[in-house]
Amino acid sequence: MRRRVILLGPPGSGKGTVAAQLKNECGFDHFSTGHWLRQEVARGSALGRQASLFLERGELVPDEVVLALVKDALSNAQADVGYLSDGFPRTLAQARAFDAWSSPRGLGIEQVIYFECSEALVLNRITGRRSCGSCGRVYHVTLVPPGQPGRCDDCAGELTQRTDDTESVVRKRFKIYLRETEPLIDFYRQQAKLDVVNASQSVDVMMSQTMSLLQR
Ligand code: ADP
Ligand code: ZN
């Protein structure tokens, strides 16, 4: 099974939901740069203050800031435990810098799974999205409801709607995704690391397809 994996796809493609399930079922060291950044903002750290305007506007946080976060977290990572990344890298510059940093450390990406999804579907999913303020786990009011309304199944944290999950900000995030992140699909295809999941399917189907791709 591949242990160092990147999930790629537009906001709302379901990659965060699949990532959380994979973490529970396969023990991946799952990380989400978006969740880390929101935590920094909530904490009011210097980094959080630097990132908050970008997050609110639905714009990308500067590459150096995100790269520093990821390198710091993975510096102690073990290659055999691996990682499962949701939301990083998001630009070609991040992808190139991460390759240059991770490969010599034995932490290079083994596989990239691309969640292919249309803008219409993204909009519908994101407006119903709720996430846990403590652990970051993502739900959907009808598609992936929690056991108890408003409470996280994992840690009983409060579920809230993100301020960047409004229709106008989501449209902007999708545009930025097309411009900045979509070029990564060809980048990883050329490295023969890319696999594709049709992200218009149910979470269960995406989950089982992702599991079998990881075992290929
Ligand atoms: P989504 O995948 O739904 O956009 P995320 O939680 O992954 O949600 O990201 C939310 C926000 O966090 C992004 O809009 C961006 O501002 C910031 N962010 C997350 N990851 C990155 C990254 N790799 N590079 C730059 N900004 C990022
Ligand atoms: Zn939680």
Side-chain angles (χ1 to χ4, degrees):
M1 176 143 140
R2 311 298 168 92
R3 303 305 298 178
R4 297 190 303 276
V5 182
I6 303 289
L7 303 183
L8 192 64
S13 55
K15 59 194 190 324
T17 305
V18 168
Q21 288 196 16
L22 285 171
K23 179 192 188 166
N24 287 345
E25 290 176 25
C26 314
F28 270 105
D29 215 348
H30 156 223
F31 71 86
S32 154
T33 43
H35 177 57
W36 281 345
L37 291 165
R38 283 187 293 280
Q39 277 187 326
E40 294 295 326
V41 172
R43 219 178 269 149
S45 68
L47 197 153
R49 287 196 300 275
Q50 207 183 338
S52 69
L53 264 187
F54 294 101
L55 286 161
E56 264 166 44
R57 292 184 187 141
E59 290 165 10
L60 295 183
V61 171
D63 291 335
E64 318 78 68
V65 174
V66 176
L67 276 162
L69 268 178
V70 172
K71 287 182 192 174
D72 193 43
L74 291 188
S75 288
N76 304 314
Q78 277 155 17
D80 54 337
V81 174
Y83 54 78
L84 179 71
S85 166
D86 161 21
F88 172 89
R90 229 163 167 112
T91 64
L92 274 175
Q94 289 177 16
R96 292 198 178 105
F98 185 67
D99 274 356
W101 180 85
S102 60
S103 300
R105 287 170 175 75
L107 292 171
I109 298 168
E110 292 177 283
Q111 188 176 23
V112 178
I113 300 180
Y114 166 44
F115 287 66
E116 193 170 25
C117 192
S118 72
E119 182 171 2
L121 202 67
V122 157
L123 265 177
N124 170 45
R125 283 188 182 160
I126 288 194
T127 45
R129 176 156 82 174
R130 301 292 181 271
S131 41
C132 173
S134 318
C135 75
R137 184 164 167 191
V138 179
Y139 298 83
H140 188 282
V141 285
T142 54
L143 304 171
V144 192
Q148 202 190 331
R151 290 273 152 222
C152 177
D153 292 347
D154 284 349
C155 75
E158 190 189 349
L159 303 186
T160 54
Q161 182 168 32
R162 279 167 42 179
T163 51
D164 61 348
D165 276 353
T166 59
E167 180 168 340
S168 65
V169 180
V170 173
R171 283 192 194 281
K172 181 167 167 193
R173 280 158 60 204
F174 198 86
K175 271 203 195 84
I176 294 175
Y177 165 80
L178 292 179
R179 194 180 66 218
E180 302 290 338
T181 312
E182 215 179 47
L184 298 186
I185 296 164
D186 273 340
F187 179 77
Y188 290 121
R189 194 175 271 138
Q190 279 160 19
Q191 296 186 6
K193 289 182 182 162
L194 196 83
D195 285 302
V196 184
V197 167
N198 172 356
S200 57
Q201 308 174 98
S202 71
V203 171
D204 287 349
V205 174
M206 286 197 288
M207 179 66 189
S208 68
Q209 291 184 351
T210 305
M211 288 284 271
S212 56
L213 286 173
L214 289 171
Q215 268 138 18
R216 252 197 8 189

